[in-house]
Amino acid sequence: MITSRLDPLSQLLLQLFYRKLLFLLMMAGSLSLLDPRHLYLGCMLLQAQALVSSAISMAFGLAARHRFNGETLTYWDEALAFTGIGLLGHFGAGLFAV
């Protein structure tokens, strides 16, 4: 697996990202699983949570003075991943809009 080739700090950041992502998916999925008609709201919730998480990761990246294009994983990489997840949530909301 790719995580075995990462340095310990990058592995830790990746594990934290997975936990945050699991939490976001559980929050958005719990709304959608209760009633399938709420898929639109679940996607909108995922989009909002992912973009807020992205902004928080950017703030942490600035505070920790991480380089944007570093050799290891940084908060900037996490922010970019959350932005992509927010964009997928936006596309999903457009798909399920009534």
Side-chain angles (χ1 to χ4, degrees):
M1 187 168 201
I2 194 166
T3 57
S4 63
R5 288 182 268 160
L6 295 174
D7 61 301
L9 196 56
S10 294
Q11 288 179 358
L12 178 65
L13 190 64
L14 193 60
Q15 288 175 357
L16 289 174
F17 171 74
Y18 287 151
R19 290 179 185 161
K20 292 175 192 176
L21 180 61
L22 180 65
F23 178 74
L24 294 182
L25 291 176
M26 285 183 357
M27 290 295 292
S30 65
L31 183 65
S32 302
L33 291 177
L34 293 176
D35 188 1
R37 294 176 293 175
H38 293 132
L39 284 174
Y40 171 76
L41 295 175
C43 288
M44 290 298 293
L45 182 63
L46 178 64
Q47 175 189 0
Q49 289 176 335
L51 293 179
V52 168
S53 296
S54 175
I56 291 171
S57 294
M58 285 181 197
F60 284 161
L62 284 173
R65 297 183 182 211
H66 286 172
R67 287 187 15 193
F68 182 71
N69 194 12
E71 289 131 13
T72 63
L73 291 178
T74 63
Y75 284 114
W76 292 107
D77 300 313
E78 184 179 64
L80 187 62
F82 278 129
T83 302
I85 292 167
L87 187 61
L88 286 176
H90 180 74
F91 290 150
L95 183 67
F96 296 117
V98 176

